[in-house]
Every structure is written in C-alpha cells, then in structure tokens.
Amino acid sequence: MYDHLDELEAQSIYIFREAYRKFENLAMLYSIGKDSTTMIHLARKAFFGKIPFPLVHIDTTYKYPEMIEYRDRMAREWGADLIVGRNEEAIKEGMSPEAGRLVCCGKLKTDGLTKVIEENEFHGLFLGIRRDEEGSRAKERVFSPRDKNFEWAYKDQPPELWDQFNTNFEAGTHIRVHPILHWTELNIWEYIQREGIEICPLYFAKEGKRFRSLGCMPCTKPINSDAATVQEIIDELKVINTPERAGRAQDQENAYAMQKLRAKGYM
Amino acid sequence: MKQDETLKIVIVGHVDHGKSTLIGRLFYDTGSIPETRYQEIAATCRAQGREFEYAYLMDALEEERDQNITIDTASTFFKTEKRPYVIIDAPGHKQFLKNMITGASSADAAILLVDGVEGVREQTKRHAYVLSLLGIRQVVVTINKLDMVGYDQKVFRSVENDIRAFLHSVDIVPSYVIPISARDGENMATRHGGTPWYTGPTVLEALDTFENVRADSNLPLRLPVQDVYKWDGKRIYAGRVETGSVAKGDEVIFLPSGKITRVKSVEKWQCPDLPSARAGECIGITTEDELFVERGEIIAHRANAPVRTRELRASIFWLADQPFKAGKTYTLKLATSEVQATVLAIEERLDSSSLEVTERFAVELLPTEVGNVLLSLKGDIAADVFSENIRVGRFVVEDGTMIGGGGIIRSFADNSGESAQRINLSDQFIAGDEGNLIDLTGKRGSIDFDVTVSFLDTLVKGNRILFKLRDPSQIEPVALMAYEHHLNFTFSRAKDQVNLILFKDDIVRTVDEVHGL
C-alpha cells in the first residue's frame, strides 16, 4: 500500500540524492526541531543508513538545555559528524533580543551560519523549512540559489519544472536545498508516528504546556496543551486553529519580518 | 480513496479574473484560515486603508501586497470533509509565466478561471495551453463574476462555448464548467440560489471527484539511474521508479548503453529481502553482473524498453529572458540524463495565446513563446514520446546555468527513434528443414541485436543463417553485427524481398552458391 506519506518520503529522498550527486561540499542545518530531525531520518533512507555530510547546528547560547542534551545524544546515535557554529564575537558583546529581535536573529543565527559556511567552504546547505510554515517560505524553490552575500532574489527566482532542479550555478553561488518543502506540520507528525522517530522531549506536554515550534528561550513560548504523545499531538493538530509559529516572537515583529530576515540569509 | 490523499490543484487564468478571491473563498468556506492569520491580514489591510484582502493569504511578499499583484507561485493548504488540498497559486501576469509554470508543473488538477463579464482573454488561453503541455488532464473551468450580470444564463453559455472550443483545440476536455461568483460564494461550497438553471456540482464537489495523479505502475518499467553508490561492498544503482515496477530476478536492460543483466536485489534502508518496487518508490538495485553504468541511463525490461535516440521533435515553451535560438546548443535534461542538444530548426513558432503558427523556420523564440522544434543530440539518450510516458517524455532546457524552458517529445526524428528494437537472436532463431532462419520482415524502424553464445555456436559449427529483411535499411545493423563478431555475409534480392545470409567462413561464396542453400 502506497500512501501520501510514502509519496512525500520518496520526493524528499529524490531531492537528497539529486543534491548529493550535484554538489561537492554539502552540509545539513540541524535545528534540533521536529522538522530537521525528520529530515535526518529521510537522509538516512536516501543513503541506505548513512548521513554522508556533516550536520551544522547554529548555537545562539539561548537554547533550552533539553535541546542541547538531546542534540548531542542523537548525533552520537546516528554516527553523525556534528559541527556547532557560534557567532562568538556577537555573543561576547552580549547580543540579545533587547537589541531588537530581528537584529538578534540576524547576528546570532544568520551571521553565525554565514561564518560556518565560509570556514568550511560549503557549497550548499540542506534546510528543513516547509511551505506551510510561513508566507515567504511558501514561495521557495526546492533548490534555491543565493548570491555571494547569501542574499535571496525572491523577486526573480529561476523556474523549477517537474523534478528538474537548477544545479549548475555561477561560481560563488551558494545553494539552499529544501528536501521537506512540500510537507505540512501534520504530515511531519504522522511520519514521526509511523517511523517511530525520537523527538526532543520539549514537544510533549508537561503541566499543561508544550512547545509546538522550538527556538531560543527568550523568543519561544509554549502553547497550552495536554498532548503528551505523538498521537495526541496529531489529534490536537487536526482541530487546532492557530498558526504553528504563533509562539515565535521574531515572526511577529513586523508583517514582513520573515521575508526580510530570509532575504538576507536567515533559514 | 483514502481520506488523507492530498490533491494538488493549481489555479490559473487571466489577471484580475478573480483568482485571489476564489482562493480566499475556498479557505473561508472550508474554515481553513487560522484566526490569528485572519487578524494579521486584517491589521495589515487596516494599516493600508483597504478592505480585507483575501489575496494576502498567498501574496505574502511585501512587494506583492504593495503593488497588488502576485509575483511568485505559493502553496497553501485547506481541507474539505473528504480530503486535504494544496492550492498552488499561479501568477496571472505574463512576465511571471515562469513562476506560473513552476507552480503548475507539480499539480494533479487545475481550476481555470474565466471572468464571465470579460470572457476568454489572452492569458486564459496561454494558461490553458500550458496545462496541456504540462500534461494536466483534470481541469475544472469556473466562469466567475456572474453576480455582476444578474446570473444571466446566456452570458454563461456564451463564455462556456468560447472556452470549450479553445480547450478542444489543445486536447483538453474540461471535467466541469461551473458558473460562480467567488465574491458571493455562489456554487463554491454551496448553492445560494443565484443559478437555478445550473444542475452540476459546486466547485468543492467537483474537486472532490478528482484523483491524485500518481506515477503509473501499469506502464512499462522506467527506472532512471540517479546515482551509483559503492558502499558496504555493494554497487547500488539508486533511482526512483518513474513508471512500472521492478522485481528481484528480472532481466533488465540499461539504455542507452544496451547492457543487459538481472536484478540481484531491490534495496531500501531497513527493508531486507524486498521482492519488488513500484512506480513512485525511491530504491536502489544491485545486479548480477558488475556493470559500469552511469547516472542518466534508464533501466527497463527488454520487451518494452524506451527508445534510444539522437534526434527528436518537441514542443518547447520558453521562459528565459534571452531568446531560444535556432543553431544554438543547449543542455537538455531528461529524467536524470543530461546531453548537449543543438537546435536544428524551429519548425514552427506559435503565438501561445492563439496557437496560430506565426512563423515557419523561425530564427528564435522569445520568452513566453512556444515552438515546435527539431533537436539533434550529441549523444544517445533513452526516452519515450510524451503521449506514451509523461515522465520520461518531457525535459527541460538549460540556458547557461539556469533552466530556460521545458519541452515534451512529440516524435523521434531519426530512425533509431521509431522503435530501436532489440532483437534477441536466440529468441528469433528458427531451425527448420529448409535451413536456419531469422525473420525480420515484421520489425519496423531501426533494430539492434543481442548476440547470444548459442547463436554464435550455430555459426561456428559451419551453419549458415538466412535473414529475411523488411527492407535494405536493415542491412546495415546486420552487417555491423557481423563485423563485430567476425562473421561474413552476403545478400540477395528476390522480387521485393531482401535476403541476407550470415556465415562463419573465410571463403567468400558467390551468390549462386548461396541460392543453393
């Protein structure tokens, strides 16, 4: 029986294999969340159990301790090569959301990421973003080129027909590959359930609260929920009528916050 | 049908014919807009001094909202009681055709929207033709804004006739033509009584009858090699089964190389001893023989293999800013193969909104134009015509570093294309009282031989084999095969028949001797 999860999975595997074949030096951005954890599971399916590229986590130092513990334990279990990137300079200077959430995200995440990419000379990056998360992500291509300054030309994106992706780029172009762009939040949880993927414990309700989307402590709030198992989360998502990222403060700074962040290289 | 089978629908039509309102209405009527999202949009609209703008659900970019246009395609999600949907919004402006096609290329079905007051316009036709070129066959036409003409049945019928006539010319038979008012919600999710003369389904009911277009398991096997992994002592050919199915033990041919072997195993992570895989699945296979096969080859069963070709006729739709030029060489990407392709001729240049041939043997195609072209490839590829297999009958053309357009294969221009049949000489061999015979008179198009050891043995023992040929064009492949295997041959003509005799001998016999066979 071939169902919608099989179809989503096959599409993701196809994207992984295309990118791996076409680009020399790739890495996968690992945010510790449900999406990037699912993405890793899909990569292992694509490459018969291997993860043939390093994982990169951009640590803002504002992450929940449960996230870091989970990250290190899982990386060991997968046998993955984990690179932790930090914008040490900005951290030393005491960068925090008090400087403005968009400034903070730009410094600690975007600049931190840029540094890791430059130091390791990565030609491209796998990212676990999805079209149903937010408006500017809904406009993304699967293979999304960025210029030398990691800027996204969202007003003039190349065509992407069927499963033919743009894979030849001018020197200096950086490529973002989005293997789960076509999944929804509900699909992700259904797949986690089916495949038995271990997920960061913060997603499961404790004392009436759980996280629906994981980020930095100052900017991420849990939602009211009693969903303590994957099945309960699935049941909850089927009736919930709030956006997934409602608990993420940086999105609410400005109507086009995410577009502005992403045009400059944010994930 | 399962409840959770998502259907992807693209919404196309001329600019300002009401796409955004229609999408907003689908969301509203199905209760799919999150409350906070609704409030966020309402606040943005208030700040701009506008009424609530449904378009903002899709037009999330600041530039789109400021200029009130859709620049790029976007996907959003809604649910009916029957199943979830992905809506792919497609920009209506001509300059964003590449974005419209990007969105539409992944759709299962389409809503083609026509303004009932304005009628069929340039982009209505262009978009309809694009749907046809992309192979989208499930189309519902909605004739919108009928509230503005008092739901006049005559207005509806007149626009319906126009659009049906045009769709007929591009081989699309619409599943439904529905009179609607997206603004009032008439015939969207429910009937409000404005069109008592209409007895067909609402838009949502129509959509619920469509099917998710899956890779087809009933077609012949097409498994393009995506990559070759040499891991854990195995050589795995990784790929997605585009059509058909493949099983352990199957005899398969790799094309265009022509290598033949058997499937030793079908590989998937955590699935040992997998017996088979079907269309849509990403798998790997290992083979009994160690082959040196590259990405781009297509794995098929020998009885119904794809065509090996170097010259093809195609319809191309051009999207890049710079023109597509006759005489120029581009990279053609079909499934996982890539080959240099020279444009021998742009045989017909079409106006994509009227489908009229505007020029024969044109020098170039401009962006958003469509042409029927003849391409010559630098190397062989394996392919099918689009009408027989959508997934390996379509390709993209790379111009410089970016995809510049797409195309579908109409026919194969070289003889190789018409069948490129592989003939197993042992299977065809008939040994009888009147001698040994291979009959090729029933084989059309170009042919290729699988030479087997038992066949060669027959010749080594001094036997001669008569080849009955369809026409003189078959002499060349037999001669080539004879040359490659150090065999001799001679041929003769008897009335309309061409006969050829193959033998292993250093003595050249005369034609008369051969007649005494």
Side-chain angles (χ1 to χ4, degrees), chain B residues 243-255:
Chain B
T243 55
S245 58
V246 64
K248 194 171 159 175
D250 280 2
E251 190 179 45
V252 289
I253 180 164
F254 287 70
L255 283 171

Side-chain angles (χ1 to χ4, degrees), chain B residues 145-163:
Chain B
K145 303 192 190 176
L146 288 178
D147 55 309
M148 291 168 73
V149 292
Y151 294 106
D152 186 341
Q153 187 180 359
K154 274 191 210 132
V155 173
F156 170 74
R157 292 291 172 218
S158 153
V159 179
E160 181 189 15
N161 284 339
D162 289 351
I163 190 67

Side-chain angles (χ1 to χ4, degrees), chain A residues 241, chain B residues 26-35 57 77-80:
Chain A
N241 198 24
Chain B
L26 288 175
F27 278 98
Y28 183 80
D29 287 351
T30 54
S32 305
I33 308 173
E35 188 55 33
L57 282 169
F77 303 79
F78 79 97
K79 269 185 296 207
T80 64

